[in-house]
Amino acid sequence: DDDDDDDELWVGASAAGALRDELEEGPELEEIASSTPLVSAANGRTGRDSDGQVLRPRRRVPPPTGAGEVLSAEERRPTLPGRQHVYVKTQGCAHNSSDSEFMMGLLQEYGYILTDKLEDADVCLVNSCTVKNPSQDSAMNLVKKARADGKPVVLSGCVPSADHSVIEGLEGVSVLDVSQIDRIVEVVEQALQGNSVQLLNKRRILPSLDLPKVRRNSCIEIIPISGGCLGNCSYCKTKHARGKLSSYSEDAIVGRALQAAAEGASEVWLASEDTGAYGLDIGTNIANLLEKVADSLPPGMMLKLGMTNPPYMLAHIDAVAKILQRPNVFAFIHVPVQSGSDPVLKAMIREYSIADFSRLVDGLREKVPELLLATDVICGFPAESEEDHQGTLDLVKKYRFAVLNISQFYPRPGTAAARMKRLPTSLAKSRSTEVTALFDSYETNSHMLGREERVWFSDTEPKHGQTVGHTKGYVKVVVKQEDSLLGRSAIVRMRKATKWHLEGEVLGEVR
């Protein structure tokens, strides 16, 4: 029940069955924590604050060992709460990436040590994606591998949140709903004690944006502006995980952006299952939010808008175009079209037509000529005829998308589309191959050769010895590696164009 704030949980002792009888009544997780109580960083109490947020525990400091006693690392690690090594694997979208960064921040603040190698870990955290069968299979294979190595596992993200049955028969696996990420420390503590914890009830209150964070990329702050959506797409499993739309307040989002700026981030990415629907549940909208965030950012910091579906963004074409024209906002938008056919869109329950998609894209491009448009298509949907497939090809030819995510249809359990008669796998594969070949047949960067553009740098490709940045129109640019450029911008002359990026030479005006 989405309206139930009281968490029901079942804890099974995988190492010793004695706890099972004690926990038949399903106590709160705090009740079965170890004898040292969890202490909030705010007021020394365990539990929740007045807003229903879980109070974050302070890292527990173990008592000193006896005089002259020396313990090896292997002897110390299992006995010191909050000092073990945690391996975190993240799959899926920007929202999932942000969730992982929050969980890593909480774990690190408590004293856990993050590691990039599974073999070095005492516990494995898998933050999973349920969009496609291969992504779920990948998550579950990692879970099984870690368990085979004798490591306790915490499975979070959209896979367990959408389908509670995924861990049936898997011992030593704890699960955490996407709305419960602020309880990751408690769950890891229990997992390391040999207990399997299930926190799968959905809370009304979103996890706070004030949680500590460990960014995978120190230059980029990903801010989830909402959870869930207002759609009911027939193929989508994510709605089962994230639920209906729930938006953060504008003040909370602006506050997080300013905090990230103070911590040295140079870009803010707004993430959501549908940014266009932002605020409709709290009396505001995406245009108002974009304006407030863009107004608040300090000089040199850039804003990037995340994925939006067409229906709710159509009402804000002029306002959003005006914001995309601002010097501190990347001229980028990701609008998944999924199909170039109205009958297929209707079967997908996408709630817009190709005419709607074109009105949105054409309206934005007219006002923002350098706009980089990214989209997604699904090939081989059950309702797709050859004529429908040709419609998708025609749409790609018309718009020459700079970024095109191509996927074959995967029937996700529990969705309406999974009950439809499937097309032959070979046909879906041939259609995706045809769309891929069309996408590969053109490039969109050569018109920028010889230009001198300001580029904002945020990443490194060590394998190629390159520093990576993007133009105002979000075209990827690589230059010879110079780490001092990270988090800064510079004027670059474009020397070479490829399908995926431009190669350039830094001229100066670094700031």
Side-chain angles (χ1 to χ4, degrees):
D1 183 351
D2 289 349
D3 295 330
D4 185 3
D5 283 337
D6 295 326
D7 301 308
E8 297 175 1
L9 79 105
W10 176 88
V11 182
S14 57
L19 275 181
R20 187 181 300 271
D21 293 336
E22 299 173 14
L23 301 176
E24 286 181 351
E25 298 302 317
E28 286 291 332
L29 189 147
E30 288 87 343
E31 294 177 33
I32 54 93
S34 62
S35 56
T36 305
L38 298 175
V39 182
S40 81
N43 56 18
R45 291 185 293 106
T46 300
R48 302 174 187 269
D49 63 17
S50 59
D51 295 323
Q53 297 289 349
V54 175
L55 298 170
R56 299 208 303 274
R58 289 198 185 106
R59 178 171 63 84
R60 291 179 287 194
V61 180
T65 58
E69 182 180 355
V70 179
L71 301 178
S72 69
E74 288 304 312
E75 289 173 321
R76 288 198 309 270
R77 279 170 56 179
T79 59
L80 303 183
R83 295 298 299 275
Q84 292 90 341
H85 290 63
V86 184
Y87 172 76
V88 181
K89 177 66 175 178
T90 306
Q91 299 174 322
C93 64
H95 195 162
N96 246 27
S97 295
S98 178
D99 284 353
S100 284
E101 291 177 351
F102 279 132
M103 288 190 285
M104 289 190 295
L106 286 165
L107 291 166
Q108 182 170 277
E109 181 188 68
Y110 193 65
Y112 285 104
I113 301 165
L114 303 172
T115 178
D116 291 330
K117 296 181 180 180
L118 178 60
E119 57 267 28
D120 293 341
D122 298 295
V123 60
C124 175
L125 168 59
V126 182
N127 194 15
S128 59
C129 171
T130 191
V131 169
K132 303 176 187 177
N133 295 9
S135 59
Q136 176 163 330
D137 292 344
S138 175
M140 298 312 297
N141 287 339
L142 178 56
V143 168
K144 292 172 184 176
K145 180 183 185 323
R147 288 302 300 137
D149 293 342
K151 301 180 189 297
V153 175
V154 178
L155 178 63
S156 65
C158 289
V159 169
S161 301
D163 184 356
H164 299 179
S165 69
V166 293
I167 61 162
E168 288 179 359
L170 293 176
E171 291 188 1
V173 180
S174 297
V175 288
L176 189 64
D177 186 82
V178 292
S179 64
Q180 304 264 17
I181 61 170
D182 51 5
R183 303 190 72 177
I184 185 60
V185 169
E186 303 167 79
V187 176
V188 167
E189 288 266 279
Q190 290 300 313
L192 285 164
Q193 293 176 27
N195 302 322
S196 296
V197 179
Q198 294 187 10
L199 286 178
L200 290 172
N201 271 16
K202 296 193 181 300
R203 285 162 39 192
R204 280 199 310 261
I205 301 173
L206 293 169
S208 172
L209 292 182
D210 292 331
L211 298 176
K213 213 174 200 187
V214 172
R215 298 184 189 89
R216 292 285 191 184
N217 183 327
S218 61
C219 294
I220 297 172
E221 168 69 13
I222 304 172
I223 304 179
I225 62 174
S226 61
C229 69
L230 295 175
N232 291 287
C233 300
S234 62
Y235 57 84
C236 182
K237 189 81 171 174
T238 306
K239 179 66 177 276
H240 299 187
R242 297 281 182 181
K244 60 187 178 182
L245 178 68
S246 182
S247 301
Y248 286 100
S249 71
E250 293 171 347
D251 288 345
I253 295 165
V254 169
R256 183 74 217 186
L258 293 177
Q259 179 182 340
E263 293 169 356
S266 57
E267 296 182 15
V268 168
W269 294 5
L270 303 183
S272 171
E273 283 65 57
D274 184 0
T275 57
Y278 169 80
L280 296 181
D281 57 323
I282 58 172
T284 185
N285 60 62
I286 185 61
N288 289 341
L289 174 67
L290 288 172
E291 185 174 16
K292 287 189 176 181
V293 175
D295 282 345
S296 72
L297 296 182
M301 193 171 198
M302 296 295 289
L303 175 64
K304 177 171 171 268
L305 177 63
M307 184 184 75
T308 179
N309 290 312
Y312 302 104
M313 190 60 81
L314 281 165
H316 307 294
I317 293 175
D318 292 342
V320 169
K322 188 175 180 180
I323 293 162
L324 292 174
Q325 292 170 348
R326 289 190 175 204
N328 66 339
V329 181
F330 285 120
F332 168 90
I333 195 165
H334 178 194
V335 187
V337 67
Q338 304 301 8
S339 173
S341 161
D342 283 344
V344 173
L345 292 177
K346 185 176 181 180
M348 290 178 170
I349 317 181
R350 289 291 287 169
E351 300 179 353
Y352 59 86
S353 65
I354 293 303
D356 293 331
F357 175 83
S358 295
R359 182 159 62 92
L360 174 60
V361 172
D362 295 345
L364 291 172
R365 277 186 165 179
E366 180 184 357
K367 296 174 175 61
V368 191
E370 75 270 36
L371 179 72
L372 190 147
L373 174 64
T375 196
D376 308 345
V377 297
I378 297 173
C379 299
F381 191 78
E384 185 181 70
S385 67
E386 186 59 38
E387 182 181 357
D388 298 326
H389 171 59
Q390 188 60 50
T392 297
L393 293 171
D394 291 342
L395 196 72
V396 174
K397 291 175 186 175
K398 176 181 179 180
Y399 287 107
R400 293 169 64 88
F401 303 105
V403 177
L404 179 60
N405 302 310
I406 305 164
S407 174
Q408 295 177 45
F409 169 72
Y410 291 97
R412 302 299 291 127
T415 63
R419 299 190 294 272
M420 300 178 184
K421 184 178 180 181
R422 292 187 64 183
L423 298 181
T425 302
S426 59
L427 182 58
K429 184 176 181 180
S430 68
R431 288 179 177 174
S432 66
T433 299
E434 191 174 359
V435 176
T436 301
L438 173 59
F439 176 64
D440 289 342
S441 70
Y442 65 84
E443 58 83 27
T444 58
N445 296 324
S446 60
H447 68 287
M448 297 188 67
L449 280 174
R451 283 192 189 179
E452 296 179 5
E453 297 258 348
R454 182 160 294 279
V455 174
W456 287 262
F457 294 97
S458 60
D459 209 349
T460 303
E461 291 184 355
K463 183 178 179 181
H464 299 105
Q466 296 171 328
T467 298
V468 181
H470 292 85
T471 66
K472 168 71 166 67
Y474 212 68
V475 177
K476 180 180 176 180
V477 178
V478 299
V479 300
K480 183 178 178 181
Q481 185 168 345
E482 179 54 66
D483 291 347
S484 65
L485 290 172
L486 292 173
R488 307 175 76 184
S489 68
I491 299 297
V492 176
R493 179 180 291 124
M494 308 307 165
R495 296 290 197 184
K496 180 181 177 181
T498 74
K499 170 70 174 176
W500 301 106
H501 63 260
L502 292 161
E503 295 180 13
E505 171 192 6
V506 176
L507 299 181
E509 294 187 40
V510 178
R511 61 191 189 203

